[in-house]
Amino acid sequence: LKQGKEQKALVAFKKASEVNAFSLTPVFNLAQLYLKYGFIDDAQKMFNSLSKQKQGDPDVLVGLGNLALLRGDLGSSIQYYSQIEEVYGSRPHIGLNYAVALKIAGKTAEAQAVYKKVDTRDLGTMRAYYKKVASFIGM
């Protein structure tokens, strides 16, 4: 996955999750890939399963928040993001999506407050998204 060979990673994660059903990391990585490529139902099943096994895990909550946002379930999305916002909300991949969900829900001031907390020191590939979110929420 780190080498950018996502198809090979997908096969490896599937095999690893089948070989060792107790290891949650391959399942999480597979769910992330499914989410990235729009296999929403498959990703949802995996994140739901992970959520039962790792209650309160911030990475799982982010996945569930992103899924709910994609499905248009703003209430659930905001609920998931709000559970992790205090500690992890400054991370761009969390704070930006949280701000988008809040804005769509009509909570512009809250969206802007969350946006202002995003750590901009190392946006990397998220820089363009950061600027789009700023425009979208009226910053």
Side-chain angles (χ1 to χ4, degrees):
L1 184 61
K2 288 181 182 179
Q3 295 172 354
K5 298 177 182 177
E6 292 178 340
Q7 288 180 337
K8 287 185 177 187
L10 179 70
V11 172
F13 293 144
K14 279 184 180 180
K15 187 170 185 167
S17 65
E18 292 166 1
V19 170
N20 186 356
F22 297 106
S23 179
L24 301 179
T25 302
V27 176
F28 175 80
N29 291 335
L30 191 55
Q32 288 286 83
L33 280 174
Y34 283 158
L35 179 60
K36 180 178 180 177
Y37 289 103
F39 297 104
I40 304 300
D41 292 336
D42 293 327
Q44 185 77 58
K45 289 175 193 172
M46 293 180 153
F47 277 114
N48 287 345
S49 175
L50 289 166
S51 177
K52 291 175 186 170
Q53 297 174 46
K54 295 181 79 174
Q55 292 182 351
D57 181 275
D59 292 322
V60 174
L61 290 170
V62 169
L64 290 167
N66 291 342
L67 280 163
L69 181 59
L70 286 171
R71 290 187 183 276
D73 182 356
L74 299 175
S76 293
S77 181
I78 291 168
Q79 181 184 6
Y80 289 125
Y81 293 135
S82 69
Q83 290 179 54
I84 53 175
E85 192 257 337
E86 281 298 315
V87 177
Y88 300 100
S90 66
R91 294 181 181 177
H93 71 283
I94 298 170
L96 295 175
N97 287 345
Y98 186 22
V100 167
L102 288 165
K103 173 64 178 177
I104 294 170
K107 301 177 179 190
T108 302
E110 289 178 53
Q112 292 173 344
V114 167
Y115 179 85
K116 288 177 184 177
K117 294 179 188 176
V118 171
D119 185 351
T120 60
R121 290 177 291 180
D122 189 23
L123 288 172
T125 60
M126 296 200 73
R127 186 164 307 283
Y129 184 53
Y130 178 80
K131 291 177 182 178
K132 286 180 184 179
V133 172
S135 177
F136 179 68
I137 65 171
M139 294 296 287

